[in-house]
Amino acid sequence: MARVLLALVIVVVAFTVYALVDCLMVPKARVKALPRIAWVFIIILFTPIGGILWLVFGRGRRVTSPPMRAMGPDDDPDFLGTIRVVPDPTEDERIRELEKRLAETDDETDNGRTDR
């Protein structure tokens, strides 16, 4: 009988310590019904009923929000809306020059080529 009583006392003390630590560590926004200090006194004075009351009535549920997903700039419409194409005034001239050189290169290879 003494062993059963000792085991019961150990379980009650462990549960009370758990409830007390949980009450002290939970964020303030999740404490419901009473202020945190009142819950601490209830847990200590009304062992083990105070711990049960804390877990049932005093501890609020976690707010589950969808996980934040990292978004690259190519997927972000706000970022894409800020991009503007800046026209380069020398780009057209450079393209014409490259086309001219390409045409000259084509002419040179056609002239040196013989039909077989």
Side-chain angles (χ1 to χ4, degrees):
M1 182 68 172
R3 289 182 183 175
V4 174
L5 189 59
L6 180 64
L8 186 63
V9 168
I10 290 173
V11 168
V12 168
V13 169
F15 176 71
T16 302
V17 169
Y18 170 77
L20 187 61
V21 169
D22 186 54
C23 178
L24 294 173
M25 298 299 289
V26 74
K28 187 176 182 178
R30 287 187 53 202
V31 177
K32 296 186 336 185
L34 296 172
R36 185 186 313 255
I37 192 73
W39 280 116
V40 169
F41 285 123
I42 289 172
I43 292 169
I44 292 172
L45 295 177
F46 301 109
T47 303
I49 304 298
I52 295 170
L53 290 173
W54 160 250
L55 292 176
V56 173
F57 297 112
R59 183 178 180 189
R61 292 188 177 177
R62 289 187 178 135
V63 177
T64 57
S65 61
M68 294 297 291
R69 188 178 136 245
M71 185 183 304
D74 293 345
D75 297 332
D76 187 4
D78 295 332
F79 175 76
L80 292 175
T82 61
I83 297 176
R84 291 186 178 83
V85 178
V86 179
D88 185 10
T90 61
E91 186 175 358
D92 288 338
E93 183 180 329
R94 196 178 90 215
I95 290 174
R96 277 190 228 109
E97 180 65 32
L98 290 172
E99 287 175 346
K100 183 179 171 186
R101 275 197 256 162
L102 181 63
E104 290 172 359
T105 306
D106 284 344
D107 289 342
E108 289 174 6
T109 57
D110 286 344
N111 291 338
R113 193 174 192 181
T114 59
D115 293 328
R116 293 186 185 179

